Amino acid sequence: MPQPHPPERSAQVPKIGFVSLGCPKATVDSERILTQLRAEGYVMASDYAQADLVIVNTCGFIDAAVEESLEAIGEALSENGRVVVTGCLGAREELIRGAHPRVLAVTGPQALDAVMDAVHAQLPAPHDPFLSLVPPQGIKLTPRHYAYLKISEGCNHRCSFCIIPSLRGDLRSRPIGEVLSEAERLVESGVREILLIAQDLSAYGLDLRYRPDFWKGRPLRTDLATLARSLGELTAWIRLHYVYPYPQVDALIPLMAEGLVLPYLDMPLQHGSELVLRAMRRPAAAERVLERLASWRAQCPELVLRSTFIVGFPGETESEFEELLDFIRAAELDRVGCFAYSPVAGAAANDLPDPVPEPVKAERLARFMALQAQISRAKLTRRVGQRLTVLVDEVGEDQVVARSYGEAPEIDGVVIIPGAWELDPGDFIEVEVTGSDDHDLWGRPVED
């Protein structure tokens, strides 16, 4: 390991470098740490050389994420030398210290107090905390016009391919009043789109037995439908991510039809074969899911559905894979991600028999994505000629990049508006869709 370059240590106010990896839920954890650091008077460093210490928030869900996290830790050690590790991979301290014994401290996910203790041990806080030193909405890593809002931690499900419960624990819902107050602060700060996230949004409130909480002096039941309806009172787009295909989701569709929340659902279905779903320990009623999708679309024709799937799960036969393809054809989902199964250390699926050979996984993944590309292309083609309200994400010299209700940031396609326009990120405008491909739309502003 090369020796770290001597950082340009600050003479007065300690500077912290920060590397944030992983999913939006990890991003929210990073934002909470950064908010506390700023509240205590620490300054954020823009590069390794300026930092007095570097925090790396890791991901440990799949092997590729573990490798990326270990590489990021190694880079921080090489470039700076003083590194605190936190996040999901931090639950595997022996692995981290085996690869990088020079790290100063290792904490698990959602460990704000432990992270701050590790920072304090190396760099005492410059002064007592004063929350007025940070904006009311806290420090955000997303662009100013959208933000992730985490409504619960952990998960009660025990999917055989997943280790999230062992990393983040069982479901712990936030009080509904607390969530709504944070959402209100975000909107007041200029956020135009709030993306609700959790391991399973549809389970929100279950651990609290849906007991009432208060917001603006009125009692509200702690459940997802009540939360969504209340969020619909705010002047921002509300987008829902990560729900299970359970009956309680039915109550959300009328809210979408009313325009209170975006008609967009992110529902990881994982497979279409009942046998594979049972091996995954997932809801295994594909026919019921199709019936539910049909009912939702009848109530809200604008509904956009996103999902993710796994191919090559241990024991998956060619026949079961064909069942998955049949399901995809029948479901006609708008946005789909797919991954070849990858073993995760500690997951129960590792003990299942009949692993699928890597070449077969790759071939099935290619077939799946080719089919979904056809479906996506056909669905986007139907949008040509429609008028859509879009939210501007980026403004360039020769084009504007925006999104409609049907595109979530970072994971879906975009709406491209060619030409130079006097717009700013966060603006809402109306466009007419003029073209499409497998993933994106093209449009021009409507000037009535």
Side-chain angles (χ1 to χ4, degrees):
M1 171 78 65
Q3 291 300 310
H5 305 300
E8 300 171 3
R9 306 294 183 199
S10 76
Q12 296 180 340
V13 180
K15 293 185 177 181
I16 307 292
F18 206 99
V19 179
S20 183
L21 305 174
C23 66
K25 293 176 284 294
T27 299
V28 173
D29 290 344
S30 294
E31 291 171 344
R32 290 174 177 169
I33 296 170
L34 287 168
T35 297
Q36 186 62 32
L37 289 167
R38 285 287 297 275
E40 295 190 16
Y42 294 95
V43 173
M44 299 303 106
S46 59
D47 56 42
Y48 290 120
Q50 295 181 9
D52 297 303
L53 180 147
V54 177
I55 300 172
V56 181
N57 189 11
T58 60
C59 179
F61 183 53
I62 60 176
D63 288 349
V66 172
E67 183 177 344
E68 180 186 24
S69 294
L70 291 175
E71 288 178 356
I73 296 167
E75 178 180 305
L77 283 168
S78 175
E79 296 296 327
N80 181 277
R82 305 180 75 189
V83 177
V84 171
V85 178
T86 187
C88 286
L89 189 60
R92 301 168 64 184
E93 182 171 358
E94 291 183 4
L95 173 66
I96 293 171
R97 291 199 179 277
H100 300 296
R102 294 193 296 117
V103 297
L104 298 175
V106 179
T107 80
Q110 313 152 57
L112 173 61
D113 290 344
V115 172
M116 295 309 301
D117 287 345
V119 172
H120 294 155
Q122 303 296 324
L123 297 171
H127 53 67
D128 292 333
F130 290 99
L131 292 178
S132 60
L133 295 177
V134 298
Q137 75 276 12
I139 307 301
K140 296 296 174 185
L141 296 175
T142 50
R144 184 174 180 269
H145 60 282
Y146 71 82
Y148 295 105
L149 178 54
K150 185 158 53 172
I151 67 172
S152 66
E153 275 291 359
C155 185
N156 287 347
H157 301 291
R158 295 296 184 265
C159 303
S160 63
F161 55 83
C162 182
I163 58 171
I164 291 298
S166 66
L167 297 176
R168 292 182 171 264
D170 288 334
L171 174 69
R172 299 182 308 287
S173 301
R174 296 175 63 191
I176 191 169
E178 178 183 301
V179 174
L180 289 167
S181 294
E182 181 177 349
E184 194 170 36
R185 291 194 298 272
L186 289 171
V187 173
E188 289 171 352
S189 74
V191 167
R192 312 302 297 275
E193 177 182 12
I194 294 176
L195 300 99
L196 257 59
I197 57 172
Q199 290 302 133
D200 176 14
L201 283 183
S202 47
Y204 176 66
L206 176 64
D207 57 311
L208 301 177
R209 297 185 179 180
Y210 308 111
R211 68 171 175 257
D213 190 30
F214 287 85
W215 183 55
K216 294 186 174 180
R218 69 181 194 262
L220 295 174
R221 188 174 189 263
T222 302
D223 63 47
L224 183 58
T226 302
L227 175 61
R229 180 173 288 281
S230 301
L231 287 168
E233 299 176 15
L234 304 177
T235 56
W237 276 0
I238 306 299
R239 190 181 299 275
L240 307 180
H241 280 287
Y242 319 130
V243 299
Y244 271 61
Y246 286 150
Q248 56 262 45
V249 180
D250 295 350
L252 300 174
I253 307 305
L255 305 182
M256 296 178 178
E258 292 176 40
L260 292 175
V261 297
L262 292 180
Y264 178 103
L265 271 181
D266 188 342
M267 182 171 55
L269 295 170
Q270 308 301 2
H271 214 277
S273 162
E274 182 172 335
L275 289 177
V276 175
L277 286 168
R278 290 189 185 282
M280 290 179 170
R281 300 178 189 167
R282 297 282 298 184
E287 289 186 10
R288 290 184 184 176
V289 171
L290 292 174
E291 292 172 359
R292 181 157 281 122
L293 299 188
S295 173
W296 292 348
R297 285 166 168 157
Q299 297 174 65
C300 183
E302 299 82 11
L303 180 63
V304 166
L305 290 164
R306 173 178 177 79
S307 191
T308 51
F309 294 86
I310 298 172
V311 298
F313 192 76
E316 180 192 63
T317 64
E318 178 63 23
S319 174
E320 289 160 351
F321 175 68
E322 289 290 347
E323 287 184 57
L324 171 58
L325 297 184
D326 289 342
F327 178 84
I328 289 297
R329 293 186 187 97
E332 287 194 314
L333 300 169
D334 299 88
R335 302 288 188 180
V336 170
C338 187
F339 307 91
Y341 173 76
S342 173
V344 178
N350 297 344
D351 298 328
L352 293 175
D354 303 319
V356 177
E358 292 299 325
V360 177
K361 290 183 191 177
E363 185 264 344
R364 289 178 181 172
L365 177 61
R367 287 163 59 194
F368 179 100
M369 294 308 297
L371 173 59
Q372 179 56 37
Q374 295 175 16
I375 295 170
S376 177
R377 187 185 313 121
K379 299 205 76 168
L380 291 177
T381 297
R382 294 176 210 153
R383 289 201 178 189
V384 175
Q386 293 181 0
R387 289 189 174 190
L388 298 172
T389 298
V390 299
L391 177 61
V392 174
D393 278 337
E394 302 172 19
V395 179
E397 293 182 0
D398 56 1
Q399 71 174 26
V400 171
V401 178
R403 292 177 293 106
S404 75
Y405 74 89
E407 294 88 33
E410 303 180 14
I411 55 174
D412 292 331
V414 296
V415 180
I416 300 169
I417 305 168
W421 301 90
E422 293 185 3
L423 295 167
D424 294 310
D427 284 348
F428 283 112
I429 62 169
E430 187 176 7
V431 301
E432 179 181 346
V433 180
T434 58
S436 64
D437 62 13
D438 293 357
H439 305 287
D440 301 322
L441 297 172
W442 277 258
R444 60 168 174 260
V446 175
E447 299 178 284
D448 289 332

